[in-house]
Amino acid sequence: MKKNINRMIIMMFLCMVVYNLGHPGTPDLIQMRGWKKSISGEFLAFMSTAMFISSPYLGALADRFGMKRIFVLMPFFYGIAQLVFGFVTSLPIIFLARIVAGFVSGGTFAVAFGYVSQLSEKEEKAKNIAKISSAIVIGGAIGQKIGGIVATADPRYSFGLQFICGGILSLFILVFIK
């Protein structure tokens, strides 16, 4: 069981690297498209609201149909949403992409924390949740650093990278999570 918990911690670390690659490129993408800077807050609000709404529902689906079945889809769909965000110029479709990204982000967190909580012994639960939380923060920081470097060439590239890495990560989850 400990091996499975450690795998989930690693997968969440990788998810957060992938999920944060695009953030540094967002301001330049907004500027490149000639949109007002405040639209960034609107994107964040749509994504955060979707995360809030989706977490309990995707967590319940994972309990019902299996955590791996739900978790494996999250990075792939996040990557698709980010590809749309980075390369499509239609504002309504971009807002839809933000909603999808938020929806799968919320599901990723719900499933990962549920998985670790379910597999942990009572006396190890808090420690394992702290480990996964730390992996999330560190992965997010590393993802933003890498994404910032990639976005210097073209802000859209970091979103394309999210798509590629999201697909690869879904395959990793399929193979390595039990």
Side-chain angles (χ1 to χ4, degrees), residues 56-174:
Y57 295 109
L58 287 174
L61 280 175
D63 288 340
R64 184 171 183 187
F65 296 110
M67 292 189 182
K68 181 177 177 177
R69 287 183 180 164
I70 302 298
F71 191 64
V72 72
L73 299 172
M74 299 299 119
F76 178 69
F77 282 112
Y78 191 87
I80 290 172
Q82 291 301 92
L83 187 67
V84 169
F85 183 76
F87 290 91
V88 172
T89 57
S90 168
L91 210 47
I93 293 175
I94 288 174
F95 274 106
L96 183 61
R98 299 309 319 142
I99 291 168
V100 170
F103 192 82
V104 298
S105 286
T108 302
F109 284 97
V111 172
F113 281 107
Y115 184 89
V116 167
S117 182
Q118 203 173 59
L119 290 182
S120 296
E121 300 292 330
K122 186 177 179 180
E123 58 277 352
E124 298 283 313
K125 197 172 288 200
K127 179 176 87 172
N128 289 334
I129 289 173
K131 283 181 182 179
I132 202 164
S133 297
S134 296
I136 288 167
V137 172
I138 295 166
I142 292 170
Q144 288 198 27
K145 181 63 176 174
I146 294 168
I149 293 167
V150 171
T152 58
D154 186 317
R156 296 172 294 187
Y157 292 173
S158 57
F159 299 102
L161 185 60
Q162 283 182 301
F163 170 70
I164 293 165
C165 293
I168 293 168
L169 186 52
S170 284
L171 291 174
F172 279 6
I173 291 167
L174 186 64

